[in-house]
Amino acid sequence: MGQRRGIYAWWVAFRFSVMLSCVMRVSAQIKYSVPEEVKVGSIVGYVAKDLGLDITSLDERRFRIVSGTEDSQFEVHQNNGVLYVRKSIDREELCESASPCVVNLKMVAENPMEIHYVAVEIVDVNDHTPSFQEEEHVLEIAESTLPGKRFQLRTAHDPDVGINTVRVYKLNHNEYFSTQIRETGDDKIPFLVLQKSLDREKHNEHKLILTAVDGGNPPRSGTLNVTVIVLDSNDNNPIFSQEVYSVTLPENVKAETSVITVTATDLDESANGDIEYVFGGKIDRKIYDMFVLDKDTGEIRVKGEIDFEKNEVFKLNVHATDKGQPPMSTDCRVIIKVLDENDNKPEIEVTSLSQMVSEDSKPGTVVSLISITDRDAGLNGKVICKLSDNVPFELKPSFQDNMYSLVLKNRLDRELVSHYDIELTATDCGQPPLSTFKTLSIDVSDVNDNNPEFLQNPIELYLVENNVPGNIIFSVTASDKDLNENAALTYNIVKGEGSQVKNAAFLSINSDYGQISALKSFDFETVKTFKFHVVASDSGTPSLSSNVTVNVFILDQNDNAPVILYPVSSNGSAEGVEEIPRNVNAGHLVTKVRAYDADIGYNGWLLFSLQEVNDHSLFGLDRYTGQIRTLRSFTETDEAEHKLLILVKDNGNVSLSATATVIVKVVEPKEAFAASDVKSSTKADEDSNVTFYLMITVGSVSALFLVSIIVLISMQCSKSTDYSSKYLPEPNYDGTLCHSIQYRSGDKRYMLVGPRMSIGSTIVPGSHANTLMLPDRRSATGEKIKMCWLLQ
């Protein structure tokens, strides 16, 4: 497409040149002038008339403008040949700054072809204002610049030409600057001239207005803002806002806490006014460990630990230096007062005169000296001291502050409290208050002020007869509330006179441990009870002692075998002959075997049994009474003589026994009657012997019974405890040659009875197997009664 247009344009140009070569006549050039900005349609000139063309034939000849573009500012009217303004004319747009501004027009008329050249000069009109490329122009001038110095300024631009362009520059009134204009051809260049020395500290910049004025009528003008920045020279020292800074700082503040910011100012600027801060003067090296100074801002911050107790005041020198050449500096003083915080607990120092206090010390005795210190100041260092409650001590203040004496307030008793842990509490008056606790240990030393004590008085000792001589039979133990030698006890048996003391002579006691040994073997059948006294003495000075009564009860053992009292033959053997009539009925009493056991209780409880008999259906033996009775009537076939072997044994753990032989002869009634007369005389002698033995036995038992009653009554009357002893006859007795006694000792009732037990009795096995325990219905607690059996 572009190639075709080029060929077409070349072809048109070629044809046009041929046509021009055929033109008969080319007219001379005509020149018009017209001002810019005239109204559209304004007549520029009568070009047809001026060219001498026939006005009537202009249309036919197609008179027109052929040069230029379709946007040509001019056009010729074909009816009258007048050249007029087709659109608005702007000289600056058409010609810019060219002068003069001429628009050449080529006009053509055909038939015949004529070409005419018309020049139209566009006359400039003052329609533009002078303007600067920028609104503001900045100049930097050192304050040390000498007067007369010139500085070129920006020039103004005015599209108009000739008289309408910029003609003069003006500067607003000021005492420091003026303007000069340098002309180079048509250009006018403005200069700023320094008239007076500058001082940046008074005026660091100057605001000026440069005005460009053209030569139009009326004239137009444009302005330029000129800012003159005065460059600094290092001609001023830094100045602190205060010569002495004072600040308070609480102790124990955290690191990096801001303390104060010192500020120095320098009227200079840039490097001349940039200030660095350092610690100056002769300063303690410790300050560098406590504080840090920001060299740019002058802020002093905490670096180390601030402790009022170490330093109450810090005095610092701060040096401020600018960065000018040469640098200039100044100094100030910073005083930091540390405020005390309640950060120290009271400290308790105890000077003990002795950690042992005798229990017989009098009230008011000084035990310890107490000193309390608090490193804080003011109320934070004022201390109140007190003791724990319920201790027999008190604090008495001294004439010096925070000094106290610990003195005894009440009497001491080591046996009640042997050790005191006294808690001292020291509290300061700070907010919040801080307290310190300390425990003071005080031991109470012993004084021999307590007698030895036996756990029980009197003491009941139950000793089994036939003990091994030399063996330990009992131990007494006493305690002493005192300590050490005051509690070291020795034991002794009191030697005296009387029947009770005679038995004590056969006793020996270990003085250190209270172990009592019997030097002889005791026999229940000889001695049933006795008492002795033991004295326990401590080793204190003076020595204190206590005694105890020991009531000894000899316990029976089964050491006596039963003794057959009847039948007894003339030679001493237990054998007898009994004759009975053959006509006796069942239940007839043949005879009664009598026996005696010196032991008591189960050991003396005798039982009878038939060991040998010819006819078991004929005779029967009562196991408790020893009575032999017939079980049936005799018949003719029954033998005339019967031998009965009777075994008598006690009830001890290891039973002891004896045997008796009874020969029963069955006779006719007449023979039996005659024999009975003879036998009665013979038996009278035997009965007299038996009666003699019985009297001796009853007398012995009665004597022992009376002695026991007297001893127990005397013990009951002499003792202060609930120990009682009385002998009572036992009504529930049924047996042969038996007796019974009972006595009370403390919370127990003892009964010595014959071979029969009372109804409701309960056998309780004991260590000696001869004890019968009976419930005492008189006591709600069910006290136990100890029973021992004795057979006469």
Side-chain angles (χ1 to χ4, degrees):
M1 181 65 70
Q3 187 176 5
R4 288 182 180 179
R5 287 182 178 178
I7 296 173
Y8 177 74
W10 178 83
W11 176 250
V12 171
F14 176 75
R15 288 181 63 189
F16 186 71
S17 61
V18 172
M19 290 174 63
L20 287 177
S21 63
C22 297
V23 172
M24 295 293 295
R25 181 168 60 91
V26 178
S27 64
Q29 183 176 0
I30 299 175
K31 185 177 181 180
Y32 299 100
S33 63
V34 61
E36 63 177 332
E37 304 294 340
V38 297
K39 293 181 180 180
V40 176
S42 299
I43 297 174
V44 178
Y46 298 94
V47 63
K49 181 180 178 181
D50 292 337
L51 291 175
L53 298 177
D54 184 8
I55 296 175
T56 59
S57 61
L58 292 178
D59 186 30
E60 293 179 359
R61 297 184 62 181
R62 297 180 62 196
F63 186 64
R64 64 187 183 279
I65 298 174
V66 297
S67 63
T69 63
E70 294 181 356
D71 294 332
S72 175
Q73 285 77 16
F74 304 100
E75 190 172 357
V76 61
H77 201 291
Q78 291 185 357
N79 293 330
N80 54 17
V82 176
L83 181 64
Y84 62 92
V85 178
R86 178 173 172 266
K87 65 177 184 178
S88 178
I89 301 174
D90 185 357
R91 191 199 69 82
E92 289 75 25
E93 182 180 352
L94 293 175
C95 300
E96 296 182 354
S97 61
S99 181
C101 179
V102 177
V103 178
N104 295 310
L105 301 176
K106 183 187 292 184
M107 297 182 180
V108 177
E110 298 180 0
N111 297 321
M113 174 67 70
E114 293 183 8
I115 297 175
H116 301 281
Y117 293 95
V118 176
V120 179
E121 180 181 358
I122 308 301
V123 180
D124 183 46
V125 176
N126 193 20
D127 57 348
H128 289 86
T129 299
S131 62
F132 294 90
Q133 291 182 354
E134 51 191 15
E135 294 181 357
E136 183 176 9
H137 180 59
V138 179
L139 285 176
E140 294 181 349
I141 303 176
E143 63 176 331
S144 59
T145 303
L146 298 176
K149 179 72 173 180
R150 298 197 312 171
F151 304 93
Q152 184 176 345
L153 300 176
R154 298 285 189 268
T155 57
H157 173 67
D158 193 336
D160 296 328
V161 295
I163 193 64
N164 294 326
T165 190
V166 176
R167 290 297 179 183
V168 66
Y169 290 94
K170 298 179 180 180
L171 191 65
N172 63 314
H173 179 71
N174 67 90
E175 61 178 323
Y176 290 97
F177 298 97
S178 63
T179 57
Q180 287 184 358
I181 299 175
R182 185 178 66 184
E183 297 185 5
T184 55
D186 293 335
D187 296 330
K188 294 180 173 56
I189 300 174
F191 284 87
L192 187 67
V193 181
L194 180 63
Q195 299 292 330
K196 183 180 179 182
S197 296
L198 300 175
D199 188 349
R200 194 202 63 81
E201 288 69 37
K202 292 182 178 180
H203 302 286
N204 59 353
E205 67 178 14
H206 298 270
K207 297 291 186 179
L208 307 175
I209 298 176
L210 179 65
T211 303
V213 183
D214 62 19
N217 187 18
R220 293 176 176 266
S221 63
T223 60
L224 173 66
N225 293 323
V226 179
T227 300
V228 177
I229 297 176
V230 181
L231 300 179
D232 183 52
S233 296
N234 193 24
D235 55 351
N236 291 280
N237 289 326
I239 299 175
F240 280 102
S241 59
Q242 296 175 229
E243 290 186 3
V244 178
Y245 292 86
S246 181
V247 66
T248 57
L249 178 66
E251 65 173 331
N252 301 326
V253 295
K254 296 181 179 179
E256 297 300 321
T257 298
S258 178
V259 180
I260 192 175
T261 299
V262 295
T263 304
T265 57
D266 193 323
L267 298 178
D268 297 325
E269 66 176 5
S270 300
N272 298 327
D274 291 341
I275 300 174
E276 286 187 351
Y277 301 91
V278 295
F279 287 127
K282 294 181 179 179
I283 190 170
D284 190 349
R285 297 299 303 174
K286 294 181 179 179
I287 295 298
Y288 292 97
D289 298 329
M290 306 298 294
F291 300 98
V292 61
L293 174 61
D294 191 304
K295 68 176 183 178
D296 297 322
T297 64
E299 181 185 20
I300 299 176
R301 297 189 304 275
V302 175
K303 180 181 179 182
E305 179 184 1
I306 305 300
D307 191 350
F308 173 84
E309 289 69 37
K310 293 181 179 179
N311 297 96
E312 297 182 12
V313 178
F314 294 96
K315 296 181 180 180
L316 314 177
N317 290 323
V318 178
H319 188 73
T321 305
D322 62 27
K323 298 179 180 179
Q325 292 298 328
M328 306 187 76
S329 62
T330 188
D331 296 279
C332 74
R333 186 81 160 177
V334 179
I335 299 175
I336 302 174
K337 297 180 180 179
V338 181
L339 297 179
D340 182 43
E341 296 287 332
N342 193 23
D343 60 339
N344 289 281
K345 292 183 178 181
E347 297 178 359
I348 301 175
E349 182 181 356
V350 178
T351 302
S352 295
L353 301 180
S354 174
Q355 292 191 356
M356 296 286 292
V357 180
S358 177
E359 64 176 323
D360 61 350
S361 299
K362 297 180 179 180
T365 301
V366 178
V367 178
S368 298
L369 299 178
I370 300 172
S371 174
I372 301 175
T373 58
D374 194 317
R375 295 169 60 192
D376 295 322
L379 288 177
N380 296 332
K382 186 175 181 180
V383 181
I384 299 174
C385 186
K386 62 180 181 179
L387 294 179
S388 54
D389 297 332
N390 302 323
V391 292
F393 300 91
E394 63 181 350
L395 286 175
K396 286 190 175 181
S398 176
F399 62 92
Q400 287 184 332
D401 291 338
N402 297 335
M403 290 288 294
Y404 299 89
S405 297
L406 181 67
V407 299
L408 186 63
K409 181 173 64 173
N410 300 323
R411 289 279 185 179
L412 300 176
D413 188 349
R414 191 206 63 80
E415 288 70 38
L416 294 178
V417 181
S418 61
H419 178 81
Y420 290 93
D421 286 327
I422 304 173
E423 188 175 82
L424 299 175
T425 303
T427 305
D428 59 28
C429 298
Q431 291 298 327
L434 299 177
S435 298
T436 297
F437 305 93
K438 188 165 187 176
T439 300
L440 178 62
S441 296
I442 296 179
D443 293 317
V444 181
S445 61
D446 184 50
V447 174
N448 192 26
D449 56 350
N450 290 277
N451 291 331
E453 293 181 356
F454 289 94
L455 295 178
Q456 184 179 355
N457 191 3
I459 298 174
E460 296 177 359
L461 170 60
Y462 296 91
L463 178 63
V464 179
E465 66 172 334
N466 301 321
N467 57 288
V468 178
N471 284 2
I472 296 173
I473 61 173
F474 188 62
S475 293
V476 293
T477 302
S479 61
D480 196 318
K481 295 180 180 179
D482 296 323
L483 291 177
N484 302 327
E485 67 274 2
N486 295 330
L489 302 180
T490 57
Y491 300 91
N492 294 287
I493 296 177
V494 178
K495 307 294 183 180
E497 297 179 356
S499 59
Q500 294 288 335
V501 180
K502 291 180 180 180
N503 291 311
F506 296 100
L507 300 177
S508 174
I509 189 168
N510 186 308
S511 61
D512 295 327
Y513 303 104
Q515 297 171 337
I516 300 173
S517 302
L519 303 179
K520 76 168 187 174
S521 178
F522 291 96
D523 185 8
F524 174 80
E525 287 73 29
T526 303
V527 178
K528 290 182 172 54
T529 180
F530 67 92
K531 66 179 179 180
F532 62 93
H533 302 283
V534 176
V535 177
S537 304
D538 61 28
S539 301
T541 304
S543 177
L544 300 178
S545 63
S546 296
N547 60 66
V548 64
T549 299
V550 181
N551 294 314
V552 182
F553 297 94
I554 306 299
L555 299 180
D556 183 43
Q557 273 191 332
N558 192 22
D559 57 346
N560 291 282
V563 177
I564 305 298
L565 298 179
Y566 180 82
V568 178
S569 63
S570 58
N571 59 4
S573 61
E575 183 176 347
V577 178
E578 295 291 336
E579 292 181 352
I580 61 173
R582 184 178 290 277
N583 60 350
V584 295
N585 297 323
H588 176 75
L589 176 63
V590 178
T591 187
K592 182 177 181 180
V593 179
R594 293 179 177 87
Y596 166 76
D597 195 322
D599 296 322
I600 64 172
Y602 285 103
N603 299 326
W605 183 12
L606 301 181
L607 297 177
F608 301 86
S609 62
L610 220 74
Q611 297 295 311
E612 293 182 10
V613 64
N614 295 339
D615 189 350
H616 289 282
S617 65
L618 188 57
F619 299 100
L621 176 65
D622 190 300
R623 67 177 301 186
Y624 298 112
T625 63
Q627 293 178 350
I628 301 174
R629 293 180 183 273
T630 59
L631 298 177
R632 61 179 176 83
S633 299
F634 289 96
T635 63
E636 294 296 333
T637 59
D638 291 329
E639 295 179 1
E641 183 175 319
H642 299 271
K643 182 180 181 181
L644 282 69
L645 181 61
I646 292 128
L647 176 66
V648 182
K649 66 176 181 178
D650 57 29
N651 280 273
N653 283 340
V654 179
S655 298
L656 301 179
S657 63
T659 59
T661 303
V662 176
I663 299 175
V664 179
K665 294 182 178 181
V666 180
V667 297
E668 297 299 326
K670 292 181 179 181
E671 295 178 359
F673 177 77
S676 62
D677 292 339
V678 177
K679 185 177 180 180
S680 61
S681 61
T682 305
K683 193 172 183 180
D685 296 335
E686 294 177 359
D687 289 341
S688 63
N689 294 332
V690 172
T691 301
F692 175 75
Y693 291 129
L694 287 175
M695 291 178 64
I696 293 174
T697 302
V698 171
S700 301
V701 171
S702 299
L704 289 174
F705 176 73
L706 290 175
V707 170
S708 300
I709 290 178
I710 294 171
V711 171
L712 293 176
I713 290 174
S714 63
M715 292 172 61
Q716 175 69 21
C717 295
S718 62
K719 73 173 184 177
S720 59
T721 60
D722 190 22
Y723 171 79
S724 63
S725 174
K726 52 188 175 179
Y727 292 84
L728 301 174
E730 173 58 50
N732 298 326
Y733 165 74
D734 184 11
T736 302
L737 296 177
C738 297
H739 74 279
S740 66
I741 59 173
Q742 60 176 327
Y743 63 92
R744 179 183 297 277
S745 176
D747 59 350
K748 299 180 181 179
R749 188 161 61 96
Y750 302 89
M751 181 176 291
L752 286 75
V753 300
R756 294 282 181 93
M757 291 185 296
S758 60
I759 299 174
S761 63
T762 302
I763 298 177
V764 179
S767 61
H768 308 294
N770 58 2
T771 303
L772 179 66
M773 307 299 294
L774 294 183
D776 189 355
R777 293 180 177 84
R778 293 172 298 176
S779 174
T781 59
E783 64 182 35
K784 298 180 180 178
I785 303 172
K786 188 170 184 180
M787 302 181 62
C788 301
W789 296 82
L790 178 63
L791 179 62
Q792 293 185 0

